Amino acid sequence: NRQISTGRVLREESYSLVNARLGIENETWGIFFWTKNLFDEGYFITGSNFAGLVDAGYGIVGEPRSYGLEVSFEF
């Protein structure tokens, strides 16, 4: 779990996200496996302090790992 340090300035440790897409295709069809946030990194996409409160704030958490299969056909 990641935390935002509060006070006058919100700070978060640096992080990296890994996305991938792997598949095969030809002129009429394609099939791909994809993943976002492969290592399920916890992170905040935004945050804010509550004015006048000490060590209080909120953060909006980024998306967890997701994955799927993409299939396409062209007629």
Side-chain angles (χ1 to χ4, degrees):
N1 291 340
R2 299 188 73 82
Q3 293 184 0
I4 294 178
S5 60
T6 58
R8 289 190 162 274
V9 178
L10 297 178
R11 298 182 191 272
E12 179 181 17
E13 295 176 11
S14 64
Y15 61 88
S16 296
L17 300 178
V18 176
N19 301 325
R21 184 173 182 251
L22 179 66
I24 57 172
E25 66 182 340
N26 66 21
E27 295 80 25
T28 58
W29 60 270
I31 185 166
F32 298 91
F33 174 78
W34 58 266
T35 182
K36 294 182 180 180
N37 194 2
L38 177 63
F39 300 112
D40 203 21
E41 182 72 33
Y43 64 100
F44 292 97
I45 56 175
T46 189
S48 182
N49 302 43
F50 292 119
L53 298 177
V54 177
D55 288 336
Y58 75 92
I60 297 175
V61 178
E63 295 290 326
R65 177 185 320 135
S66 60
Y67 50 88
L69 186 65
E70 177 185 330
V71 179
S72 63
F73 295 95
E74 191 172 319
F75 297 99

